[in-house]
Amino acid sequence: MESNRGRSTRPTGTAFSRRWVLGAGASALLTTGLSACGSGEGSGGGGDTVTAFVYGDDAVKVQAAAATRFNKSAAAKTAKGKVKLEKIPGSDYSAKLRTAMGSPSAPDVFFNWGGGSIKAYQEAGKIVDLTDIIENDPVLKNGFLPSVLAAGDLKGRHYGIPMRGMQPVILFYNKSVFAEQKIQPPTTWDELLAVNSKLKKAKITPFALGGSDLWPELMWLEYLVDRIGGPEVFKRIQDGDAEGWGDPAVLKAAEMVKELIDDGAFGDKFTSVSYVNGGAPAVFAKGKAAMHLMGSWEYSTQLGKFPDFAKSSLGWAAFPKIEDGVGDVRNVVGNPTNYWSINPRTKNKDAAIAFLKDCASEAYAKDLVALGDVPTTSNAAALLSSAPNPEYAKFQYEMVQQAPAFTLSWDQALGDELGTKMHTEIGKLFTGKSTPSEFVSACKELK
Amino acid sequence: MSSTVTSGGGRTVKARAGRPNAVWALPAVLFFTFFAVVPMGLAFYLSFTKWDGLGDPKPVGLANWQKLLDDPRLTQSLGITVLLMVTSWVFQTVISLLLGVWAAGRQRNRAILSGIFFVPFLLSSTAIGLLFYALLDPNFGIIRENILGSSSGAFLVIVFVGAWQFIPFHTLIYQGGARQIPEVLYQAAAIDGAGRYRQFFSITLPQLRHTITTSTILMVVGLLTYFETVLILTKGGPGTDTAILPYLMYEAGFKSYDFGYASAIASFLVVTATGLSVLLVRLTGFGGMRSTREGM
């Protein structure tokens, strides 16, 4: 799932390289596989060194600092090990990890997205069950927000340690456009429709949407299903019951999406617009579209590409309530965070665990905050005042902290195979190739 | 490799000494075995297994092939692939044939122009894909329409971009072919009063028939593995409307990590491509290697 990988950590600027590296497809993978096989040395590399594979984007600075800090620490001496960070371009992270894990030069520690993204690894016995380790270690047990720790679980067992910022999906809006049109961010569905019609009269597209990437479309369904039927609807699907797609909430959500599309809420060109190449963020920042439903990284994307807009006009709000829906308006969807996991074949598990503990430290959390991220550590709240935009950091933190439920992005929760097939069905729904009821029956067939 | 230099009694001995024996072919054979036959065999083996890239492949018998036959996306994909092949063949052949014949003329400007025409072929498919993606951006590109987001638009863009990239190559083939046609044929035709069009249809076209076959086989087999442009421009979309077979294979392998099924699609592609090129060679009589100059 190349696209959603990028989403989980600031995708800005990595899009093209990801596509063309994967675009080389088989050959790229083959090369990776061959070179991985060629090095021959068992996992753990040179003796006690712990190799850690990490998604190599801008945020990798935080992990690099952590590795340096750990290598100088007393904990490293006790565990007789040092950490060697392998920064893998985000573009081919997922495929590279997959190939490496099947080869003799597999990493000891690896970055992942939790939930379904690690299911194949768990089934193949290539990931350490950390539940008991976490339970018996006060630093790990009390270091993180419990909901975030749980969100990456597989069948109630922990396989990962949270290691990046939280990434809830937020309804962003353009404050200047809203002020000009004398409107407020919608808090209910009726308000949203009213705002839409006002914007359309002013010839402004209500929502920016990077439809050619598919995963931005998924965000709409995730929130709608949650607001209409509550988090239990998707939970059932996630737990393997494909009949769960038959829940009336899914059909209702698909119908509401279709109404929005037919109504022009996303404009008439959204199927050609991409998020990862900066299309949708630009449409939004330039005021051509008034709102953008996107992960929290939209803030840093805008800060990078359109700093003036990010500083003066970028507003944020929770996804509106649906009048007759049963889902709590405080519920959140998105990616709780990313996780470090351990390969059971590591030669130095003590060093690996000692390194992972650094993620619960204040120094680690401070590095994340300085980057504009909101850590998932229990001490995060106190650090947020030093964020580049404390107000935004606080909003995000409270949004996640107060959420009764945090639903992991569906594609991540379902894993690669189902997630890819679901993307295809969502693409068909949004381009009008299938009706809402066809969408539901196609999803029920997914396995 | 000169073998027929001598005559008389010493002929056989000397000829044998100068003729390459089987060992000479060894590097090529090894290379081909290692990089083509072995991977192909492996893919064929994998098509009978379930493998997610981790752990060991588990044999599942004919399950992947059964799935291939039952997959409605395969039927759709085949349809799109065939349509793409036919459309692209017509488009590319007509243009590159005409351009090639024109460029075969001896004037200086034609040589320079042919050089310029050839540039697109030198760019990587990825660069070309990204270039057109930027040009077609609905909000910030040159043509601000919903082209890649509409089924027919996306399909035509793929045909066009493929043609833009590969016409130079085929033009070069036709230019070479057209330059081989003996001048005397045209002189004779001119004396008989044949005009330019008559000359083209009665001399150029028949004389180029083997060139057409060569170019066609390259095009057809190339289109069966056409991939990067689709990945970059449409990712098989909108919906699944431009998901050609190689894209379907990529999606199964590198997005769903279902390498068994991806290998079944790959094996299917190899068989289809080989079958098609053999068929083309047979149908056109290309294999017989009859001279285009018979009767001269």
Side-chain angles (χ1 to χ4, degrees), chain B:
Chain B
M1 293 182 210
S2 56
S3 55
T4 52
V5 277
T6 51
S7 57
R11 185 171 181 249
T12 39
V13 180
K14 280 205 173 175
R16 194 170 290 159
R19 191 184 291 154
N21 60 25
V23 179
W24 288 44
L26 205 62
V29 169
L30 279 179
F31 194 83
F32 185 71
T33 310
F34 192 71
F35 289 104
V37 179
V38 171
M40 236 188 274
L42 272 176
F44 191 62
Y45 162 72
L46 278 180
S47 74
F48 298 102
T49 65
K50 170 101 186 147
W51 191 43
D52 62 6
L54 299 165
D56 299 321
K58 289 184 197 70
V60 288
L62 289 169
N64 288 320
W65 290 92
Q66 189 62 47
K67 187 171 160 189
L68 192 67
L69 290 178
D70 295 342
D71 194 345
R73 287 195 66 188
L74 180 83
T75 327
Q76 187 202 15
S77 193
L78 257 179
I80 300 167
T81 310
V82 170
L83 190 64
L84 180 72
M85 225 187 286
V86 172
T87 323
S88 298
W89 181 81
V90 172
F91 196 49
Q92 294 187 24
T93 302
V94 169
I95 294 178
S96 45
L97 181 66
L98 293 176
L99 266 178
V101 169
W102 177 81
R106 306 282 170 185
Q107 297 89 328
R108 186 197 187 96
N109 62 333
R110 296 193 185 181
I112 295 166
L113 282 174
S114 313
I116 296 170
F117 288 158
F118 201 62
V119 169
F121 185 70
L122 301 175
L123 302 175
S124 85
S125 302
T126 310
I128 292 172
L130 293 176
L131 173 75
F132 278 91
Y133 194 82
L135 288 174
L136 296 171
D137 188 291
N139 290 295
F140 310 102
I142 302 282
I143 306 171
R144 299 188 180 181
E145 296 297 330
N146 187 30
I147 298 174
L148 290 171
S150 75
S151 300
S152 50
F155 182 81
L156 290 175
V157 167
I158 289 170
V159 171
F160 179 81
V161 173
W164 189 81
Q165 183 181 6
F166 290 109
I167 281 178
F169 173 72
H170 294 282
T171 299
L172 197 72
I173 297 184
Y174 283 116
Q175 185 191 20
R179 283 200 174 153
Q180 293 293 318
I181 302 171
E183 202 58 41
V184 289
L185 294 180
Y186 293 104
Q187 288 161 357
I191 290 168
D192 288 346
R196 277 173 70 181
Y197 294 101
R198 185 64 197 262
Q199 287 183 15
F200 178 77
F201 285 106
S202 301
I203 301 171
T204 313
L205 214 49
Q207 290 288 320
L208 281 177
R209 71 172 184 270
H210 286 343
T211 315
I212 295 174
T213 312
T214 311
S215 156
T216 300
I217 292 175
L218 287 172
M219 255 182 226
V220 165
V221 174
L223 281 159
L224 268 178
T225 54
Y226 196 50
F227 172 69
E228 300 97 315
T229 312
V230 174
L231 178 75
I232 291 164
L233 288 175
T234 69
K235 295 193 211 88
T240 51
D241 287 353
T242 56
I244 52 172
L245 277 171
Y247 186 80
L248 209 61
M249 173 181 78
Y250 161 80
E251 202 179 68
F254 297 101
K255 287 177 94 183
S256 296
Y257 295 114
D258 185 354
F259 289 107
Y261 189 50
S263 300
I265 302 175
S267 308
F268 176 78
L269 263 173
V270 169
V271 172
T272 315
T274 315
L276 254 176
S277 51
V278 168
L279 193 74
L280 279 173
V281 168
R282 279 283 162 85
L283 284 182
T284 53
F286 186 62
M289 285 291 171
R290 281 186 300 119
S291 169
T292 37
R293 298 199 194 167
E294 57 193 293
M296 271 190 69

Side-chain angles (χ1 to χ4, degrees), chain A residues 32-265:
Chain A
T32 322
L34 284 175
S35 59
C37 292
S39 57
E41 182 63 40
S43 66
D48 289 319
T49 305
V50 169
T51 323
F53 270 21
V54 65
Y55 190 98
D57 58 3
D58 289 345
V60 82
K61 291 177 209 148
V62 178
Q63 285 78 46
T68 314
R69 191 163 51 232
F70 172 78
N71 290 341
K72 285 184 196 149
S73 71
K77 286 199 185 77
T78 320
K80 292 196 184 91
K82 290 198 168 187
V83 169
K84 189 174 154 258
L85 210 57
E86 290 256 359
K87 298 165 199 164
I88 296 170
S91 46
D92 51 350
Y93 181 81
S94 170
K96 174 96 191 233
L97 175 68
R98 186 62 76 122
T99 343
M101 287 298 273
S103 83
S105 57
D108 301 283
V109 171
F110 58 96
F111 166 106
N112 62 66
W113 288 264
S117 82
I118 51 167
K119 195 157 165 272
Y121 294 84
Q122 192 262 330
E123 284 166 359
K126 290 192 182 284
I127 192 165
V128 172
D129 183 340
L130 295 168
T131 317
D132 297 336
I133 295 167
I134 293 170
E135 286 300 315
N136 296 322
D137 189 321
V139 175
L140 292 174
K141 192 175 182 217
N142 306 320
F144 305 97
L145 296 178
S147 63
V148 174
L149 201 56
D153 279 0
L154 272 179
K155 293 183 181 145
R157 306 290 290 178
H158 303 311
Y159 291 92
I161 301 292
M163 48 74 77
R164 278 200 169 173
M166 42 180 72
Q167 298 145 2
V169 174
I170 296 172
L171 180 63
F172 291 93
Y173 65 97
N174 186 328
K175 284 193 214 163
S176 330
V177 170
F178 270 56
E180 274 164 32
Q181 301 301 321
K182 298 187 181 64
I183 46 179
Q184 294 293 319
T187 60
T188 65
W189 197 252
D190 287 344
E191 282 178 28
L192 182 138
L193 296 177
V195 163
N196 280 2
S197 61
K198 212 159 181 188
L199 286 167
K200 278 187 298 174
K201 267 187 208 131
K203 304 257 184 261
I204 298 168
T205 304
F207 291 96
L209 178 63
S212 78
D213 290 325
L214 304 179
W215 55 260
E217 300 179 338
L218 170 64
M219 290 175 173
W220 279 93
L221 285 169
E222 287 168 352
Y223 259 133
L224 283 170
V225 167
D226 183 275
R227 292 288 188 268
I228 298 166
E232 298 77 20
V233 179
F234 181 70
K235 190 84 186 65
R236 189 177 154 200
I237 298 167
Q238 184 183 355
D239 290 342
D241 183 2
E243 287 301 308
W245 289 105
D247 191 288
V250 180
L251 181 64
K252 182 81 197 297
E255 282 167 356
M256 286 167 88
V257 158
K258 188 162 169 33
E259 278 163 30
L260 282 182
I261 294 167
D262 294 346
D263 200 35

